[in-house]
């Protein structure tokens, strides 16, 4: 199935495909008139990249400390750049590696960058494409649930700098996004859980509870001894998953269409759970918690904040927090990985979404969510946040 | 005086001001509601930056090998980042310095980057602003003639990588560009000459010869023993210069409005002389020739190519080349700094403007200019170029 959006005047088509062969067909043609291509992946997704791109030949040109890195030639017109895996690889040095591989592969401004991997790979590949000779062509194939329902949709690109996530980045929507459902079979249980947090987040943003209830019906699969294999093997679960991904992509896509560069407040809604979540990730030490674990905890805190401000009703807060809990997320404050509240508050108020000293928080309303602003210099407001992250009554 | 354009939906106002005080007034107000600002300059423009930005206090925080580098505090809400001067400084390390200074100064997404300097500083500052938290605010104050008539207008940003000029960059028009005419008093004769080449280029693009003839009337000033001081001191010359800058900005601005991201062929017209010129700069060794010297020689080659293809009439070619010669530019082929024709041809066909193996050249027509394409793999076409750069009859 496919969905089409227009982000900032750029048409973006998103294909959700069950089998690699279908993707092969979408990417494999001469759609780009034989322009040079560069496939970017990491050690974990090199195998998927090989299945997506036709006729890989040759081996890694370079290998560092047992890692498969370097440039391999795929057929005549496609080369591959294999990067180390993980959030710690999301830096300028690896963006430069992508740019160098592209230059070595002879890509012009009409060359195509194809990112195959999780959010780290798709964010970096899209950033590299956006600045390569001031903008080259781009296609993304997210291979994780998190990448499908979040990172690869909506045009945000970037890498980490000075310990701040996505401190450097651009808005550069990918005209083509291909989601190979088959690639999810390699995900660990923790990676599934990380992606489900973004699914839940998007469902909380929806104007009714249908999507939230649909996700809720999958919670039994999470506690099954067959998890996570059951999700793709059971045809009912697999169908439900596909429907959830499609619904999530649709909700996100429509929001981004209305406010592509987050100049208004509309796109900010997608930050539900993220302001608290990013601060938790920074305070715990980047890479310790998965993004989804931090976001799920952040959604629970958003419910606390909304209740404290009288915006979120008790029933709605309990429904959301209860659902998070049933999927196994840590929902209580303080979070066991939160090392120190002072550091957490510093990270919170250094958030890049800060505007004129005010920080935007998204909180659940009776239907969907709304934006509230907290001023850094108002003591009563920062104390409210401090109470919430410490799990104290406000 | 000021000119207003709309680049890719972004309003860009360009002020051409004779005195620093006027600029101080434009920048000095609370137009940005007290948002944090970062002033970026180099060792040569720190003095101008001090005159433009109100109330610099403190001294350079860091000093390397006698160079004034580091961060100084201007008043409460403006800090300054001083970079080394020159094309060799146009790299990621210095972009990262700008990003770090911005973070240290507490800039949010609503913070303002103000670039004060030549094209190297304005290109890097604009790039840094374009990727800082996915896009911050920007103002540019070009202090060189080249910066005024070219680099700071039209939204191209970037830095050099792998020895290729502006290999990494974005399109990010500055909503505010302020040209302090007074800052030109510090330019050397060679820097004046470099800027005049872009003025001449723009005049060749114009639909009639009025602008070209106007520039022609300034050539006497170039051979005067009082050059370059005479240009700003003589009120007639000063008025003519202002008119030439304004006309050049207007022509460039209108072209960019029609094709902001160079997706069509319209903006390519601004590359007149640049395809040959960039290859000459690369072949001679980056930094050996000024940009304008290379472009002037490139315009002469574009006349040769146009004549060889029957597009440029002999009279028009002679008028343009004669004018370049009268301003003291090297117009003959081969250029004395062109080390080897093979290296030149390699640099030429690695140009980032290459599309599907074809290279676009701009050549003068009876009025204005047009685009012609040369195929890398057609021997007769590459031999034509080789003859032209070697100064041989085609």
């Amino acid at each position: 199935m496919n969905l089409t959006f227009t982000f900032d005047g750029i048409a973006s088509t998103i294909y959700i495909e069950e089998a690699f062969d279908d993707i092969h067909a979408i990417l494999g043609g001469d759609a780009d008139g034989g322009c040079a291509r560069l496939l970017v992946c990491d050690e974990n997704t090199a195998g998927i990249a090989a299945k997506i791109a036709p006729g890989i030949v040759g081996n890694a040109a370079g290998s560092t400390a047992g890692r498969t890195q370097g440039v391999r030639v795929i057929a005549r017109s496609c080369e591959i750049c294999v990067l180390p895996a993980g959030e710690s690889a999301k830096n300028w040095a690896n963006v430069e590696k992508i740019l160098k591989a592209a230059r070595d592969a002879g890509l012009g401004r009409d060359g195509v960058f194809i990112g195959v991997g999780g959010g780290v790979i798709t964010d970096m590949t899209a950033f590299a494409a956006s600045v390569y000779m001031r903008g080259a062509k781009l296609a993304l194939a997210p291979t994780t649930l998190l990448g499908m329902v979040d990172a690869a949709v909506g045009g945000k690109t970037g890498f980490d700098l000075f310990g701040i996530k996505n401190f450097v980045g651009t808005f550069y929507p990918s005209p083509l996004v291909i989601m190979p459902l088959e690639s999810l079979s390699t995900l660990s249980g923790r990676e599934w859980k990380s992606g489900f947090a973004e699914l839940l987040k998007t469902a909380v943003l929806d104007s009714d509870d249908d999507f939230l209830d649909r996700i809720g019906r999958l919670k039994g699969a999470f506690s099954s001894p067959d998890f996570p294999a059951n999700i793709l093997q059971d045809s009912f679960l697999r169908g439900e998953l596909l429907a959830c991904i499609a619904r999530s992509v649709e909700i996100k896509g429509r929001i981004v269409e209305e406010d592509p560069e987050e100049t208004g407040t509309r796109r900010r809604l997608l930050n539900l759970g993220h302001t608290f979540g990013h601060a938790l990730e920074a305070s715990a030490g980047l890479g310790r918690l998965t993004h989804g674990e931090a976001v799920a905890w952040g959604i629970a805190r958003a419910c606390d904040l909304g209740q404290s401000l009288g915006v979120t009703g008790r029933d709605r807060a309990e429904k959301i927090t209860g659902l998070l809990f049933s999927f196994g997320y840590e929902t209580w404050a303080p979070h066991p990985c939160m090392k120190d509240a002072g550091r957490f508050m510093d990270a919170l108020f250094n958030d890049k979404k800060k505007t004129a000293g005010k920080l935007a928080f998204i909180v659940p309303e009776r239907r969907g969510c709304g934006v509230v602003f907290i001023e850094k210099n108002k003591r009563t407001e920062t104390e409210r946040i401090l109470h919430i992250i410490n799990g104290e009554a406000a």
Side-chain angles (χ1 to χ4, degrees), chain A:
Chain A
M1 68 171 298
N2 65 68
L3 294 152
T4 299
F5 303 98
T6 306
F7 300 137
D8 235 345
I10 294 161
S12 180
T13 304
I14 295 168
Y15 294 85
I16 308 173
E17 299 292 331
E18 299 210 29
F20 286 129
D21 281 351
D22 300 325
I23 289 162
H24 186 124
I26 296 166
L27 270 180
D30 270 330
D32 298 301
C35 294
R37 297 163 185 203
L38 177 73
L39 217 148
V40 182
C41 59
D42 67 24
E43 300 142 354
N44 299 331
T45 59
I48 295 169
K51 285 177 190 159
I52 288 174
I56 286 194
V57 294
N59 286 308
S63 176
T64 306
R67 290 180 158 181
T68 319
Q69 289 177 29
V71 176
R72 290 186 290 185
V73 180
I74 301 176
R76 261 184 319 183
S77 61
C78 191
E79 302 212 0
I80 183 165
C81 171
V82 185
L83 299 175
E87 183 74 30
S88 63
K90 201 175 183 183
N91 54 35
W92 167 254
N94 282 313
V95 171
E96 194 179 307
K97 267 189 201 165
I98 299 172
L99 297 170
K100 187 172 184 304
R103 188 208 53 173
D104 292 347
L107 269 70
R109 210 174 262 187
D110 58 348
V112 191
F113 288 69
I114 307 171
V116 181
V120 170
I121 287 294
T122 56
D123 279 6
M124 279 202 294
T125 306
F127 179 81
S130 76
V131 300
Y132 187 78
M133 300 182 179
R134 297 200 186 95
K137 291 184 183 172
L138 175 65
L140 297 177
T143 59
T144 63
L145 184 57
L146 188 61
M148 293 177 187
V149 300
D150 193 29
V153 177
K156 285 192 179 181
T157 84
F159 62 91
D160 307 338
L161 190 68
F162 313 132
I164 306 169
K165 280 188 77 162
N166 301 321
F167 188 67
V168 178
T170 52
F171 291 99
Y172 202 72
S174 180
L176 180 62
V177 181
I178 302 167
M179 304 186 174
L181 230 56
E182 213 175 323
S183 70
L184 300 177
S185 65
T186 61
L187 296 190
S188 68
R190 206 168 170 211
E191 287 169 309
W192 275 100
K193 204 172 141 185
S194 185
F196 258 79
E198 291 285 354
L199 275 180
L200 281 158
K201 177 204 79 177
T202 317
V204 175
L205 298 177
D206 208 358
S207 53
D208 62 40
D209 276 358
D210 291 356
F211 184 22
L212 204 61
D213 294 339
R214 180 165 224 160
I215 298 174
R217 288 193 292 273
L218 290 170
K219 71 186 176 200
F222 267 62
S223 51
S224 155
D226 297 329
F227 177 77
N230 55 343
I231 302 210
L232 290 175
Q233 280 162 7
D234 180 303
S235 66
F236 169 76
L237 292 176
R238 188 182 174 114
E240 285 296 295
L241 174 71
L242 196 146
C244 285
I245 293 173
R247 182 73 188 133
S248 178
V249 166
E250 190 174 7
I251 293 172
K252 176 166 184 182
R254 297 301 165 218
I255 289 174
V256 174
E257 279 186 323
E258 290 171 39
D259 179 20
E261 299 204 357
E262 207 166 320
T263 42
T265 55
R266 191 87 184 111
R267 186 163 185 165
R268 290 207 173 168
L269 293 176
L270 294 167
N271 275 317
L272 172 63
H274 282 64
T275 308
F276 285 111
H278 280 158
L280 177 63
E281 280 181 278
S283 152
L286 281 186
R288 202 177 146 138
L289 291 165
T290 67
H291 180 67
E293 284 165 347
V295 166
W297 184 83
I299 297 173
R301 296 295 74 69
C303 290
D304 291 347
L305 177 62
Q307 282 191 279
S308 164
L309 294 167
V311 177
T312 311
R314 191 187 168 99
D315 285 358
R316 180 136 164 91
E318 281 180 358
K319 176 167 187 172
I320 295 166
T321 310
L323 196 57
L324 292 169
F325 188 86
S326 71
F327 273 91
Y329 296 105
E330 179 65 59
T331 55
W332 293 347
H335 192 285
C337 296
M338 191 181 89
K339 282 181 197 146
D340 119 36
R343 196 173 157 189
F344 183 98
M345 293 297 279
D346 282 347
L348 194 76
F349 282 100
N350 276 322
D351 192 283
K352 64 176 177 291
K353 306 264 157 72
K354 185 180 63 175
T355 307
K358 286 181 191 168
L359 200 54
F361 287 87
I362 312 305
V363 294
E365 296 180 339
R366 207 164 70 83
R367 291 169 184 283
C369 291
V371 184
V372 296
F373 289 93
I374 298 289
E375 275 187 52
K376 183 182 180 178
N377 297 323
K378 274 209 182 158
R379 205 175 136 202
T380 51
E381 298 202 359
T382 53
E383 278 183 354
R384 187 197 300 276
I385 303 292
L386 202 58
H387 283 306
I388 286 167
I389 63 163
N390 281 325
E392 300 154 359

